Amino acid sequence: MHKVVMAVALLWPVAGTAEDVVIAALGDSLTQGYGLIEAEGFVPQLQGWLEDQGAEVQLINAGVSGDTTAGGLSRAAWTLTPEVDAMIVALGGNDLLRGIDPGVSRSNLEGILQAAQSAEVDVLLVGMQAPGNYGPEFKAAFDAMYPELAEAYGAVYAPSFFEGLGEAASDPAAAVPFMQPDGIHPSAEGVERIVEGLGPYVMDLIARTGD
């Protein structure tokens, strides 16, 4: 993920109706759409996919390139405005790149979930898995924090941002057609597949807001 922190551009809904579910997508460069024109990014493509499913929804792009879980925690409170009904949390990749202690990352994610809970906002927590080069203890702690926190806070849980890529998600050679030249950020086609994978989880999140 791009390590240079960029100013966040919050696309607050301006054409929504009273029935629209407003969802903030809190994340890093993967959420922000690094390297792509705006229409090809994760949030606009997800917006279109959800609308195709008949969902009345407006998404806020709260992704900041280079952000860690600590950065997400620092932004959570002011992202959770009264208009926000639900939140997608997709953070942790930059924590991995920096080798941050999983205990620290877990505490930050828990703080975000607590902020959402206080605001009575439902959450979709998107997990990820650490590579083996950090050692088995690091990997076990990192991988487990997402499902454990999702269960503890009653969040919808998606195992991986890249689930929609199928086998290519774990095979760098197979993933090439879906990635930008840096091998880290998805191409427009990659984002399309990612959205198809995550979309059903977001639909579950939307359903919860009506409960």
Side-chain angles (χ1 to χ4, degrees):
M1 266 150 267
H2 196 54
K3 294 185 179 180
V4 177
V5 177
M6 300 172 64
V8 61
L10 295 184
L11 305 179
W12 296 104
V14 294
T17 69
E19 292 76 27
D20 286 344
V21 174
V22 178
I23 303 174
L26 185 69
D28 50 33
S29 57
L30 297 177
T31 304
Q32 181 261 336
Y34 173 77
L36 301 171
I37 63 172
E38 183 178 327
E40 295 176 344
F42 172 71
V43 170
Q45 288 209 49
L46 179 58
Q47 175 83 43
W49 188 93
L50 293 170
E51 290 174 351
D52 288 345
Q53 311 310 307
E56 296 180 332
V57 62
Q58 290 291 326
L59 298 183
I60 298 169
N61 189 343
V64 174
S65 290
D67 225 358
T68 61
T69 56
L73 176 58
S74 71
R75 296 189 289 114
W78 57 265
T79 299
L80 291 165
T81 63
E83 294 84 5
V84 173
D85 301 303
M87 184 163 66
I88 299 168
V89 178
L91 288 161
N94 288 306
D95 294 52
L96 276 178
L97 289 175
R98 301 179 187 188
I100 294 172
D101 185 332
V104 174
S105 301
R106 183 186 184 108
S107 179
N108 292 331
L109 287 173
E110 185 162 25
I112 294 170
L113 290 169
Q114 289 172 345
Q117 188 177 70
S118 296
E120 299 183 346
V121 165
D122 292 301
V123 172
L124 164 59
L125 182 61
V126 182
M128 62 180 59
Q129 292 74 45
N133 59 297
Y134 285 104
E137 292 184 4
F138 184 106
K139 179 172 174 57
F142 188 93
D143 293 1
M145 68 184 177
Y146 293 97
E148 290 176 358
L149 287 172
E151 182 177 3
Y153 286 87
V156 179
Y157 172 61
S160 171
F161 187 86
F162 294 101
E163 183 175 336
L165 297 184
E167 294 182 1
S170 57
D171 183 349
V176 169
F178 310 115
M179 304 300 286
Q180 296 180 43
D182 64 9
I184 298 174
H185 298 92
S187 63
E189 183 180 354
V191 171
E192 181 179 354
R193 292 181 176 237
I194 287 166
V195 164
E196 290 173 353
L198 283 178
Y201 296 102
V202 182
M203 290 295 287
D204 287 347
L205 179 67
I206 292 170
R208 288 196 181 194
T209 67
D211 292 343

